[in-house]
Amino acid sequence: MTDLATYNFAYLDEQTKRMIRRAILKAISIPGYQVPFASREMPMPYGWGTGGVQVTAAILGPKDVLKVIDQGADDTTNAVSIRAFFQKVANVAVTTKTRDATIIQTRHRIPEETLTAGQTLVYQVPIPEPLRFLEPRETETRKMHALEEYGLMHVKLYEDIARNGHIATTYAYPVKVEGRYVMDPSPTPKFDNPKMHMSEALQLFGAGREKRIYAVPPHTDVVSLDFEDHPFEIQHFDKPCALCGAEHVYLDEVVLDDKGGRMFVCSDTDHCEDRREHGHAGHLLAQQEAAE
Amino acid sequence: MSAVPLLKVNDVSKFYGSRIGCRNVSFELWPGEVLAIVGESGSGKTTLLSCLSTRLMPSSGIVEYHMRDGQYRDLARMSEAERRFLMRTDWGFVHQNPADGLRMTVSAGANVGERLMAVGDRHYGNIRATAADWLRRVEIEEDRIDDQPRSFSGGMRQRLQIARNLVTSPRLVFMDEPTGGLDVSVQARLLDLVRGLVHDLGLSAIIVTHDLAVARLLSHRMMVMKDGLVIEQGLTDRVLDDPREPYTQLLVSSILQV
C-alpha cells in the first residue's frame, strides 16, 4: 500500500465531503442563508458538535493546522476530544495558538485575537433558525426568510426591553448579514458579534442535528439588530482578567471557594496564556507571585 | 365615499373536489361600507371570506382590490410577497378565536407593535406609545401592556386582536364571527367598540356571522348565503325587516325573542 490510507482522510467518505462542500459553496454564495445538507451520523452525540465536525472534515487538507476551542478554552473535554479525533483520522497538525491555525473549530466563542485572511472559523451550531422560538413552524420561517419578513425578530427584542428595560439577549443575538438574511450566530455571546462584521476570515456554521450549513464570507456586513432608542451594545466587565490583566475581553466567572470568593478570567485561554508569557499579570497572579 | 369600489368580486366559486364551497358570488364593496355575510353553518360563509382574503385560492372567478396607488389588482395574480404585505398593512383579519390571531406568548404591547415592526418601525419608544394608545382605544387598561394575552379574558383578547389589526390603519378588515364565544354583555360592548372604530376610521369591513343581531348592529348591507349560493342581498334593514326569500324569512323568524 503506497499512498492509499487505511482510512479515508478526515473520516468522511469522498462523496459525503463533496456533498458538504457543495452546501458550503452555496452558503458562501448566499451569505446568511441556511443551506440544507444530508448530515451524517458522527461518532459523537448530537450537541457535541456534529455539524462543526462535518464542516471541518469537509474542508480539512493535509497541510492545515487545526485549533479547537470550546467556550474559548483549548483544554475542555469537547475541544480535546475533537482535536484528538482529527489527529487520528487526518493526521493533521494541531495547535492552540490562534495565529498559527488555518482552521479553528469553535463552540461559543470567537478568539480574542483578530482573525486574518486565509483562516477559517467553523462554528458548531445547535439551533440555526433565529426565528425558531417565535414561530415554531419551519414552513413558515422559511417563507419569512424568503420574503424578508423579519418584523418578528424585533418583537423578541421588544419583549426583552418591555420585561427588563434593556435588550437582555446576551447570546445567539440575531444579526443581519449583508443587508438580507437574519442569522443566528450560534450561541456565541453578543460580545463577539462585532468581530463577525467585515472579518477577514471565512466563517462557516454547521448544525448537525438540524442539517443546515450557513456562512459569512470574508468582508461581509454583519449588523446586530436593535432599536434606534435602544442601540446594540456588548457586555462590559468591571475588572480586568485576574490572571493576565486584559481589559476589553470576554471574561468567565470562576468560583474559588465556598466563602464567596470568585475571580474573572479570560474565557479565551490561548489569549490569556499568550499575555502572561509576555509578562502581563493580573491581580491574582501578582498576589500569588508575591506570596512565593 | 369615493366613486370607485374598494373590492370587486366577480363570479367567485370554490369547490372542494366535487363539493361546493361557494358558487358564483359577485358583489362590490365600497369604501367605508360594512358588509355582513350571514347564513347557517356550512353555507359557505367562511369559504367565501377565505377566498376574498387570499387565505384560499378560488376555483374560478376574480377578486380585484383597489390598491392605494389607485390601480385594481387581481389578488390571485399578485405574488405571495405582495399578498402578505397587503395582509399585514392595508388589511386586517379578525379571527373568531383570538388565539389564532394573537401571539399568546408575547406581551399585549408587542402584539400590537408587531405590524409596526414588520413595516420597518425601529423606535421602541414610538412603538410602545402607539401600542399604548391603541390599547386605550380598545378599552384595555394601559398597565396591562406588558401582560401576555394568556392572562386576558375572552373579550379583552378579542379587543386586543382588533387593536393589533388596526394599528397600521388598514382600509379593509375581514372578521370571522368576531363575537362568537363571548357572552352577551361582552358582545354588546365589543359591537359598540367595533361600530365606533369603523365609523371613526372610515374602515370597510366584511363580517361573517351567523348572528343576525351582529349584522343588524354593524353592517350597512348584508348577503344571505345558503348551500354556497348568495340567495338574497340588500340593505341590512331591508333584508331583516322585509325578507323576500323563504329561507331568509325562516332565518329571521327563528331569532329567539326574550
Side-chain angles (χ1 to χ4, degrees), chain A:
Chain A
M1 302 288 269
T2 52
D3 286 345
L4 286 174
T6 320
Y7 295 98
N8 202 51
F9 181 75
Y11 191 75
L12 294 174
D13 62 276
E14 294 305 319
Q15 286 302 313
T16 299
K17 282 198 229 174
R18 192 169 123 119
M19 173 272 294
I20 294 174
R21 285 172 192 155
R22 288 173 75 121
I24 292 172
L25 285 176
K26 183 169 180 182
I28 293 171
S29 320
I30 318 170
Y33 171 70
Q34 300 167 43
V35 183
F37 79 112
S39 175
R40 299 289 191 249
E41 290 289 323
M42 296 302 283
M44 57 194 331
Y46 286 132
W48 285 41
T50 53
V53 164
Q54 288 179 76
V55 170
T56 303
I59 61 171
L60 197 63
K63 288 180 185 155
D64 272 314
V65 182
L66 181 70
K67 170 183 162 84
V68 184
I69 50 176
D70 174 10
Q71 313 270 2
D74 292 280
D75 52 6
T76 46
T77 315
N78 200 208
V80 170
S81 55
I82 292 175
R83 194 161 56 228
F85 174 75
F86 280 113
Q87 272 181 301
K88 188 167 192 173
V89 299
N91 196 27
V92 289
V94 295
T95 182
T96 59
K97 297 264 177 253
T98 301
R99 73 177 70 91
D100 297 340
T102 55
I103 297 174
I104 303 170
Q105 183 173 331
T106 178
R107 174 166 176 255
H108 286 145
R109 284 305 314 282
I110 298 174
E112 301 292 354
E113 196 172 319
T114 308
L115 300 179
T116 54
Q119 289 186 306
T120 303
L121 190 60
V122 178
Y123 296 75
Q124 304 166 197
V125 180
I127 295 162
E129 180 50 72
L131 302 162
R132 171 67 51 85
F133 295 108
L134 303 158
E135 173 55 68
R137 290 167 295 178
E138 186 80 4
T139 47
E140 185 69 13
T141 55
R142 261 183 252 169
K143 199 167 275 176
M144 290 160 83
H145 280 294
L147 301 177
E148 229 183 319
E149 287 179 7
Y150 291 130
L152 198 53
M153 207 71 246
H154 273 87
V155 171
K156 175 178 159 36
L157 302 179
Y158 174 98
E159 280 293 281
D160 261 7
I161 302 172
R163 281 188 205 162
N164 306 299
H166 61 276
I167 299 179
T169 304
T170 52
Y171 66 97
Y173 192 101
V175 293
K176 194 160 206 177
V177 181
E178 204 62 11
R180 176 59 178 87
Y181 283 96
V182 165
M183 184 187 92
D184 184 343
S186 93
T188 51
K190 65 179 174 183
F191 182 88
D192 286 338
N193 275 14
K195 295 181 194 164
M196 307 177 74
H197 178 62
M198 287 292 161
S199 169
E200 282 183 23
L202 170 64
Q203 302 174 73
L204 302 175
F205 299 76
R209 175 176 41 207
E210 302 276 334
K211 301 178 169 53
R212 294 285 185 280
I213 286 174
Y214 51 105
V216 175
H219 307 288
T220 301
D221 257 334
V222 179
V223 180
S224 304
L225 301 181
D226 60 3
F227 285 103
E228 286 159 17
D229 47 347
H230 287 265
F232 170 77
E233 49 186 36
I234 58 174
Q235 292 101 330
H236 293 284
F237 298 92
D238 302 334
K239 292 179 192 167
C241 169
L243 295 180
C244 76
E247 288 179 32
H248 310 298
V249 294
Y250 194 75
L251 302 179
D252 284 341
E253 183 180 10
V254 179
V255 175
L256 296 174
D257 50 36
D258 58 359
K259 299 180 189 67
R262 60 197 60 219
M263 65 170 179
F264 286 89
V265 292
C266 288
S267 104
D268 185 340
T269 53
D270 169 57
H271 183 73
C272 197
E273 280 163 20
D274 192 54
R275 277 179 58 86
R276 272 180 277 158
E277 273 169 28
H278 284 84
H280 297 280
H283 71 276
L284 268 185
L285 202 64
Q287 275 174 22
Q288 199 180 7
E289 277 164 6
E292 284 166 7

Side-chain angles (χ1 to χ4, degrees), chain B:
Chain B
M1 280 197 191
S2 70
V4 288
L6 190 64
L7 195 71
K8 290 200 278 196
V9 181
N10 194 6
D11 217 15
V12 165
S13 301
K14 174 73 189 175
F15 300 101
Y16 300 105
S18 58
R19 290 181 196 283
I20 296 162
C22 62
R23 200 155 40 137
N24 306 109
V25 179
S26 300
F27 69 91
E28 287 176 345
L29 184 75
W30 296 77
E33 185 182 37
V34 179
L35 174 73
I37 304 173
V38 301
E40 61 192 3
S41 298
S43 59
K45 313 184 292 275
T46 301
T47 297
L48 177 61
L49 191 75
S50 300
C51 288
L52 301 179
S53 60
T54 73
R55 297 162 70 82
L56 277 179
M57 277 293 135
S59 308
S60 66
I62 295 173
V63 183
E64 283 180 305
Y65 181 68
H66 190 237
M67 306 290 282
R68 282 187 191 245
D69 63 6
Q71 302 289 315
Y72 278 101
R73 292 289 303 274
D74 180 353
L75 296 176
R77 287 175 184 275
M78 287 168 79
S79 71
E80 189 172 17
E82 288 174 307
R83 274 205 301 270
R84 286 171 68 116
F85 184 74
L86 194 66
M87 286 202 79
R88 62 172 194 260
T89 53
D90 220 16
W91 289 4
F93 197 107
V94 177
H95 295 261
Q96 176 174 10
N97 180 2
D100 294 340
L102 292 172
R103 293 197 186 277
M104 298 304 277
T105 52
V106 303
S107 68
N111 262 298
V112 179
E114 180 176 346
R115 274 176 164 233
L116 295 173
M117 292 183 252
V119 295
D121 207 329
R122 291 289 177 266
H123 192 284
Y124 174 82
N126 294 351
I127 293 169
R128 195 173 169 83
T130 312
D133 181 48
W134 268 102
L135 290 185
R136 187 184 50 71
R137 289 172 81 163
V138 297
E139 297 166 20
I140 295 175
E141 313 256 322
E142 244 186 89
D143 61 3
R144 303 299 301 268
I145 190 168
D146 291 331
D147 292 349
Q148 294 187 359
R150 280 195 285 215
S151 66
F152 285 12
S153 68
M156 281 171 80
R157 287 180 189 183
Q158 197 57 286
R159 277 177 278 144
L160 180 62
Q161 195 190 180
I162 289 167
R164 174 181 159 89
N165 274 289
L166 296 186
V167 68
T168 50
S169 329
R171 293 191 299 161
L172 174 58
V173 178
F174 300 97
M175 298 190 189
D176 190 3
E177 305 273 7
T179 57
L182 300 177
D183 63 53
V184 184
S185 60
V186 176
Q187 251 188 45
R189 196 167 156 207
L190 188 77
L191 288 174
D192 201 35
L193 179 83
V194 171
R195 192 158 62 161
L197 287 171
V198 164
H199 183 262
D200 293 347
L201 302 169
L203 287 175
S204 300
I206 297 180
I207 298 173
V208 160
T209 180
H210 61 265
D211 188 340
L212 292 180
V214 171
R216 169 81 96 177
L217 272 170
L218 288 181
S219 68
H220 305 121
R221 205 148 60 88
M222 67 188 278
M223 299 197 318
V224 183
M225 289 188 76
K226 186 175 191 298
D227 300 329
L229 287 169
V230 175
I231 55 165
E232 181 163 1
Q233 58 175 312
L235 295 177
T236 303
D237 291 342
R238 203 281 293 155
V239 173
L240 291 177
D241 293 343
D242 179 21
R244 286 179 195 163
E245 292 292 319
Y247 174 73
T248 318
Q249 291 169 1
L250 184 72
L251 207 63
V252 172
S253 65
S254 61
I255 299 173
L256 288 175
Q257 302 292 333
V258 183

